[in-house]
mmCIF file of all heavy atoms in Angstrom:
data_model
loop_
_atom_site.group_PDB
_atom_site.id
_atom_site.type_symbol
_atom_site.label_atom_id
_atom_site.label_comp_id
_atom_site.label_asym_id
_atom_site.label_seq_id
_atom_site.Cartn_x
_atom_site.Cartn_y
_atom_site.Cartn_z
ATOM 1 N N CYS A 17 -10.644 52.935 16.144
ATOM 2 C CA CYS A 17 -10.195 51.532 15.705
ATOM 3 C C CYS A 17 -9.642 50.735 16.934
ATOM 4 O O CYS A 17 -9.339 51.507 17.947
ATOM 5 C CB CYS A 17 -9.082 51.486 14.582
ATOM 6 S SG CYS A 17 -7.553 51.958 15.041
ATOM 7 N N CYS A 18 -9.537 49.493 16.774
ATOM 8 C CA CYS A 18 -9.175 48.669 18.084
ATOM 9 C C CYS A 18 -7.592 48.972 18.385
ATOM 10 O O CYS A 18 -7.213 48.643 19.496
ATOM 11 C CB CYS A 18 -9.307 47.244 17.763
ATOM 12 S SG CYS A 18 -8.303 46.430 16.497
ATOM 13 N N ALA A 19 -6.913 49.571 17.519
ATOM 14 C CA ALA A 19 -5.451 49.795 17.762
ATOM 15 C C ALA A 19 -5.256 51.284 18.187
ATOM 16 O O ALA A 19 -4.061 51.597 18.437
ATOM 17 C CB ALA A 19 -4.572 49.601 16.419
ATOM 18 N N GLY A 20 -6.231 52.140 18.355
ATOM 19 C CA GLY A 20 -6.062 53.453 18.812
ATOM 20 C C GLY A 20 -5.326 53.666 20.039
ATOM 21 O O GLY A 20 -5.587 52.957 20.976
ATOM 22 N N GLY A 21 -4.260 54.433 20.070
ATOM 23 C CA GLY A 21 -3.359 54.599 21.276
ATOM 24 C C GLY A 21 -3.927 55.156 22.386
ATOM 25 O O GLY A 21 -3.420 55.051 23.551
ATOM 26 N N PHE A 22 -5.033 55.910 22.341
ATOM 27 C CA PHE A 22 -5.675 56.542 23.538
ATOM 28 C C PHE A 22 -7.235 56.583 23.252
ATOM 29 O O PHE A 22 -7.619 56.546 22.195
ATOM 30 C CB PHE A 22 -5.128 57.897 23.811
ATOM 31 C CG PHE A 22 -5.004 58.842 22.688
ATOM 32 C CD1 PHE A 22 -6.245 59.535 22.278
ATOM 33 C CD2 PHE A 22 -3.813 59.101 21.941
ATOM 34 C CE1 PHE A 22 -6.155 60.539 21.349
ATOM 35 C CE2 PHE A 22 -3.841 60.044 20.968
ATOM 36 C CZ PHE A 22 -4.998 60.748 20.607
ATOM 37 N N LYS A 23 -7.914 56.704 24.314
ATOM 38 C CA LYS A 23 -9.364 56.776 24.282
ATOM 39 C C LYS A 23 -9.793 58.210 24.031
ATOM 40 O O LYS A 23 -9.199 59.178 24.475
ATOM 41 C CB LYS A 23 -9.936 56.318 25.553
ATOM 42 C CG LYS A 23 -9.681 54.814 25.779
ATOM 43 C CD LYS A 23 -10.172 54.423 27.201
ATOM 44 C CE LYS A 23 -9.708 52.936 27.591
ATOM 45 N NZ LYS A 23 -10.040 52.515 28.914
ATOM 46 N N LEU A 24 -10.816 58.386 23.215
ATOM 47 C CA LEU A 24 -11.352 59.680 22.821
ATOM 48 C C LEU A 24 -12.372 60.051 23.801
ATOM 49 O O LEU A 24 -12.732 61.358 23.770
ATOM 50 C CB LEU A 24 -11.808 59.687 21.442
ATOM 51 C CG LEU A 24 -10.855 59.164 20.326
ATOM 52 C CD1 LEU A 24 -11.630 58.910 19.029
ATOM 53 C CD2 LEU A 24 -9.788 60.140 20.209
ATOM 54 N N GLY A 25 -12.845 59.222 24.548
ATOM 55 C CA GLY A 25 -13.936 59.420 25.545
ATOM 56 C C GLY A 25 -14.465 58.130 26.112
ATOM 57 O O GLY A 25 -13.758 57.099 25.738
ATOM 58 N N ASN A 26 -15.536 58.123 26.830
ATOM 59 C CA ASN A 26 -16.001 56.924 27.404
ATOM 60 C C ASN A 26 -17.517 56.878 27.312
ATOM 61 O O ASN A 26 -18.152 57.943 27.726
ATOM 62 C CB ASN A 26 -15.581 56.699 28.831
ATOM 63 C CG ASN A 26 -15.962 55.263 29.346
ATOM 64 O OD1 ASN A 26 -17.060 54.873 29.530
ATOM 65 N ND2 ASN A 26 -14.842 54.494 29.556
ATOM 66 N N ILE A 27 -18.162 55.915 26.879
ATOM 67 C CA ILE A 27 -19.515 55.931 26.589
ATOM 68 C C ILE A 27 -20.344 56.022 27.920
ATOM 69 O O ILE A 27 -21.519 56.305 27.878
ATOM 70 C CB ILE A 27 -19.961 54.643 25.806
ATOM 71 C CG1 ILE A 27 -21.321 54.902 25.180
ATOM 72 C CG2 ILE A 27 -19.911 53.372 26.652
ATOM 73 C CD1 ILE A 27 -21.687 53.756 24.178
ATOM 74 N N ASN A 28 -19.685 55.706 28.951
ATOM 75 C CA ASN A 28 -20.433 55.798 30.266
ATOM 76 C C ASN A 28 -20.570 57.194 30.708
ATOM 77 O O ASN A 28 -21.483 57.598 31.564
ATOM 78 C CB ASN A 28 -19.550 55.062 31.321
ATOM 79 C CG ASN A 28 -19.514 53.543 31.058
ATOM 80 O OD1 ASN A 28 -20.487 52.967 30.945
ATOM 81 N ND2 ASN A 28 -18.344 53.023 30.957
ATOM 82 N N THR A 29 -19.792 58.201 30.174
ATOM 83 C CA THR A 29 -19.744 59.487 30.655
ATOM 84 C C THR A 29 -19.972 60.486 29.395
ATOM 85 O O THR A 29 -20.355 61.684 29.610
ATOM 86 C CB THR A 29 -18.525 59.925 31.376
ATOM 87 O OG1 THR A 29 -17.475 59.612 30.637
ATOM 88 C CG2 THR A 29 -18.362 59.221 32.706
ATOM 89 N N ASP A 30 -19.650 60.065 28.247
ATOM 90 C CA ASP A 30 -19.706 60.919 26.956
ATOM 91 C C ASP A 30 -20.571 60.501 25.902
ATOM 92 O O ASP A 30 -20.879 59.169 25.890
ATOM 93 C CB ASP A 30 -18.249 61.046 26.456
ATOM 94 C CG ASP A 30 -17.267 61.493 27.490
ATOM 95 O OD1 ASP A 30 -17.435 62.463 28.113
ATOM 96 O OD2 ASP A 30 -16.201 60.656 27.603
ATOM 97 N N SER A 31 -21.136 61.337 25.057
ATOM 98 C CA SER A 31 -21.793 60.874 23.893
ATOM 99 C C SER A 31 -20.717 60.417 22.794
ATOM 100 O O SER A 31 -19.534 60.854 22.870
ATOM 101 C CB SER A 31 -22.639 61.980 23.329
ATOM 102 O OG SER A 31 -21.768 63.015 22.725
ATOM 103 N N ILE A 32 -21.155 59.486 21.917
ATOM 104 C CA ILE A 32 -20.295 59.036 20.857
ATOM 105 C C ILE A 32 -19.820 60.210 20.036
ATOM 106 O O ILE A 32 -18.750 60.386 19.681
ATOM 107 C CB ILE A 32 -20.891 57.981 20.028
ATOM 108 C CG1 ILE A 32 -21.236 56.705 21.064
ATOM 109 C CG2 ILE A 32 -20.071 57.472 18.943
ATOM 110 C CD1 ILE A 32 -21.960 55.641 20.369
ATOM 111 N N GLU A 33 -20.840 61.111 19.721
ATOM 112 C CA GLU A 33 -20.649 62.171 18.965
ATOM 113 C C GLU A 33 -19.553 63.119 19.455
ATOM 114 O O GLU A 33 -18.667 63.553 18.725
ATOM 115 C CB GLU A 33 -21.968 63.038 18.706
ATOM 116 C CG GLU A 33 -23.037 62.261 17.882
ATOM 117 C CD GLU A 33 -23.806 61.275 18.615
ATOM 118 O OE1 GLU A 33 -23.596 61.149 19.787
ATOM 119 O OE2 GLU A 33 -24.701 60.790 18.104
ATOM 120 N N SER A 34 -19.551 63.397 20.796
ATOM 121 C CA SER A 34 -18.628 64.314 21.344
ATOM 122 C C SER A 34 -17.229 63.739 21.281
ATOM 123 O O SER A 34 -16.169 64.425 21.121
ATOM 124 C CB SER A 34 -18.989 64.698 22.765
ATOM 125 O OG SER A 34 -18.969 63.500 23.555
ATOM 126 N N ALA A 35 -17.064 62.385 21.453
ATOM 127 C CA ALA A 35 -15.749 61.714 21.441
ATOM 128 C C ALA A 35 -15.238 61.925 20.053
ATOM 129 O O ALA A 35 -14.027 62.040 19.909
ATOM 130 C CB ALA A 35 -15.919 60.280 21.918
ATOM 131 N N LEU A 36 -16.012 61.632 19.008
ATOM 132 C CA LEU A 36 -15.472 61.635 17.698
ATOM 133 C C LEU A 36 -15.315 63.042 17.145
ATOM 134 O O LEU A 36 -14.779 63.140 15.969
ATOM 135 C CB LEU A 36 -16.513 60.913 16.739
ATOM 136 C CG LEU A 36 -16.774 59.365 17.080
ATOM 137 C CD1 LEU A 36 -17.779 58.742 16.207
ATOM 138 C CD2 LEU A 36 -15.462 58.685 16.971
ATOM 139 N N SER A 37 -15.634 64.089 17.792
ATOM 140 C CA SER A 37 -15.432 65.392 17.407
ATOM 141 C C SER A 37 -14.549 66.088 18.478
ATOM 142 O O SER A 37 -14.264 67.287 18.386
ATOM 143 C CB SER A 37 -16.696 66.216 17.317
ATOM 144 O OG SER A 37 -17.368 66.190 18.497
ATOM 145 N N SER A 38 -13.775 65.283 19.179
ATOM 146 C CA SER A 38 -12.902 65.762 20.264
ATOM 147 C C SER A 38 -11.752 66.517 19.696
ATOM 148 O O SER A 38 -11.211 66.047 18.624
ATOM 149 C CB SER A 38 -12.465 64.675 21.180
ATOM 150 O OG SER A 38 -11.721 63.726 20.651
ATOM 151 N N PRO A 39 -11.144 67.461 20.375
ATOM 152 C CA PRO A 39 -9.976 68.140 19.884
ATOM 153 C C PRO A 39 -8.745 67.031 19.725
ATOM 154 O O PRO A 39 -7.953 67.270 18.723
ATOM 155 C CB PRO A 39 -9.620 69.026 20.999
ATOM 156 C CG PRO A 39 -10.950 69.312 21.694
ATOM 157 C CD PRO A 39 -11.771 68.126 21.581
ATOM 158 N N LYS A 40 -8.678 66.023 20.573
ATOM 159 C CA LYS A 40 -7.513 65.070 20.386
ATOM 160 C C LYS A 40 -7.702 64.369 19.067
ATOM 161 O O LYS A 40 -6.688 64.100 18.360
ATOM 162 C CB LYS A 40 -7.738 63.984 21.571
ATOM 163 C CG LYS A 40 -7.346 64.639 22.848
ATOM 164 C CD LYS A 40 -7.253 63.360 23.837
ATOM 165 C CE LYS A 40 -8.366 62.702 24.152
ATOM 166 N NZ LYS A 40 -8.178 61.689 25.304
ATOM 167 N N LEU A 41 -8.946 63.970 18.596
ATOM 168 C CA LEU A 41 -9.028 63.290 17.353
ATOM 169 C C LEU A 41 -8.907 64.250 16.181
ATOM 170 O O LEU A 41 -8.362 63.907 15.090
ATOM 171 C CB LEU A 41 -10.414 62.467 17.257
ATOM 172 C CG LEU A 41 -10.704 61.700 16.058
ATOM 173 C CD1 LEU A 41 -9.487 60.676 15.853
ATOM 174 C CD2 LEU A 41 -12.075 61.016 16.023
ATOM 175 N N GLN A 42 -9.350 65.551 16.319
ATOM 176 C CA GLN A 42 -9.196 66.506 15.290
ATOM 177 C C GLN A 42 -7.626 66.621 15.143
ATOM 178 O O GLN A 42 -7.141 66.878 13.920
ATOM 179 C CB GLN A 42 -9.845 67.808 15.622
ATOM 180 C CG GLN A 42 -11.368 67.638 15.596
ATOM 181 C CD GLN A 42 -12.034 68.971 15.950
ATOM 182 O OE1 GLN A 42 -11.407 69.939 16.467
ATOM 183 N NE2 GLN A 42 -13.358 69.104 15.616
ATOM 184 N N LYS A 43 -6.907 66.619 16.091
ATOM 185 C CA LYS A 43 -5.374 66.751 15.943
ATOM 186 C C LYS A 43 -4.832 65.572 15.174
ATOM 187 O O LYS A 43 -3.998 65.685 14.363
ATOM 188 C CB LYS A 43 -4.836 66.898 17.345
ATOM 189 C CG LYS A 43 -3.355 67.124 17.321
ATOM 190 C CD LYS A 43 -2.707 67.414 18.718
ATOM 191 C CE LYS A 43 -1.219 67.692 18.642
ATOM 192 N NZ LYS A 43 -0.646 67.830 20.140
ATOM 193 N N VAL A 44 -5.358 64.340 15.584
ATOM 194 C CA VAL A 44 -4.950 63.149 14.739
ATOM 195 C C VAL A 44 -5.257 63.296 13.233
ATOM 196 O O VAL A 44 -4.453 63.130 12.432
ATOM 197 C CB VAL A 44 -5.575 61.852 15.302
ATOM 198 C CG1 VAL A 44 -5.291 60.699 14.341
ATOM 199 C CG2 VAL A 44 -5.158 61.634 16.669
ATOM 200 N N ARG A 45 -6.464 63.856 12.986
ATOM 201 C CA ARG A 45 -6.730 64.019 11.563
ATOM 202 C C ARG A 45 -5.929 64.969 10.824
ATOM 203 O O ARG A 45 -5.503 64.791 9.748
ATOM 204 C CB ARG A 45 -8.306 64.425 11.402
ATOM 205 C CG ARG A 45 -9.252 63.421 11.917
ATOM 206 C CD ARG A 45 -10.733 63.763 11.769
ATOM 207 N NE ARG A 45 -11.631 62.938 12.285
ATOM 208 C CZ ARG A 45 -12.545 63.278 13.334
ATOM 209 N NH1 ARG A 45 -12.555 64.483 13.715
ATOM 210 N NH2 ARG A 45 -13.340 62.300 13.663
ATOM 211 N N GLN A 46 -5.626 66.031 11.522
ATOM 212 C CA GLN A 46 -4.810 67.116 10.958
ATOM 213 C C GLN A 46 -3.467 66.568 10.626
ATOM 214 O O GLN A 46 -2.880 66.864 9.521
ATOM 215 C CB GLN A 46 -4.623 68.235 11.879
ATOM 216 C CG GLN A 46 -6.036 69.102 12.063
ATOM 217 C CD GLN A 46 -5.907 70.000 13.194
ATOM 218 O OE1 GLN A 46 -4.866 70.155 13.951
ATOM 219 N NE2 GLN A 46 -7.192 70.649 13.509
ATOM 220 N N SER A 47 -2.869 65.630 11.548
ATOM 221 C CA SER A 47 -1.467 65.108 11.187
ATOM 222 C C SER A 47 -1.556 64.176 10.029
ATOM 223 O O SER A 47 -0.729 64.144 9.178
ATOM 224 C CB SER A 47 -1.022 64.412 12.489
ATOM 225 O OG SER A 47 0.168 63.672 12.244
ATOM 226 N N ILE A 48 -2.655 63.384 9.995
ATOM 227 C CA ILE A 48 -2.783 62.342 8.981
ATOM 228 C C ILE A 48 -2.991 63.084 7.580
ATOM 229 O O ILE A 48 -2.413 62.616 6.465
ATOM 230 C CB ILE A 48 -3.897 61.313 9.203
ATOM 231 C CG1 ILE A 48 -3.483 60.393 10.476
ATOM 232 C CG2 ILE A 48 -4.237 60.517 8.010
ATOM 233 C CD1 ILE A 48 -4.597 59.504 10.783
ATOM 234 N N LYS A 49 -3.692 64.176 7.564
ATOM 235 C CA LYS A 49 -3.868 64.963 6.323
ATOM 236 C C LYS A 49 -2.487 65.478 5.792
ATOM 237 O O LYS A 49 -2.331 65.624 4.608
ATOM 238 C CB LYS A 49 -4.817 66.102 6.593
ATOM 239 C CG LYS A 49 -6.291 65.595 6.609
ATOM 240 C CD LYS A 49 -7.115 66.878 7.092
ATOM 241 C CE LYS A 49 -7.215 67.971 6.139
ATOM 242 N NZ LYS A 49 -8.132 69.001 6.510
ATOM 243 N N LYS A 50 -1.632 65.576 6.690
ATOM 244 C CA LYS A 50 -0.158 65.965 6.208
ATOM 245 C C LYS A 50 0.637 64.756 5.771
ATOM 246 O O LYS A 50 1.763 64.931 5.536
ATOM 247 C CB LYS A 50 0.571 66.685 7.357
ATOM 248 C CG LYS A 50 -0.183 68.113 7.760
ATOM 249 C CD LYS A 50 0.586 68.725 8.956
ATOM 250 C CE LYS A 50 -0.186 69.920 9.470
ATOM 251 N NZ LYS A 50 0.495 70.544 10.705
ATOM 252 N N GLY A 51 -0.035 63.621 5.949
ATOM 253 C CA GLY A 51 0.704 62.295 5.462
ATOM 254 C C GLY A 51 1.489 61.711 6.660
ATOM 255 O O GLY A 51 2.393 60.865 6.351
ATOM 256 N N ILE A 52 1.195 62.089 7.826
ATOM 257 C CA ILE A 52 1.981 61.561 9.009
ATOM 258 C C ILE A 52 1.110 60.872 9.952
ATOM 259 O O ILE A 52 0.037 61.444 10.418
ATOM 260 C CB ILE A 52 2.709 62.755 9.736
ATOM 261 C CG1 ILE A 52 3.685 63.462 8.745
ATOM 262 C CG2 ILE A 52 3.538 62.304 10.879
ATOM 263 C CD1 ILE A 52 4.194 64.711 9.265
#
């Protein structure tokens, strides 16, 4: 989203798929699943 606090990757060097499956984003999802 446009408010995301950090970049998950860059389209100039990464695939969109790899950015959206990155460990950083998985950690975000895990936190949100806990309600945080």
Side-chain angles (χ1 to χ4, degrees):
C17 76
C18 65
F22 53 78
K23 297 173 184 177
L24 306 167
N26 192 292
I27 199 168
N28 296 304
T29 55
D30 309 303
S31 70
I32 297 175
E33 290 84 354
S34 66
L36 296 177
S37 61
S38 67
K40 289 193 295 185
L41 185 55
Q42 289 180 345
K43 187 176 179 181
V44 170
R45 294 186 188 118
Q46 290 165 5
S47 177
I48 291 177
K49 284 171 66 177
K50 296 175 184 177
I52 299 172

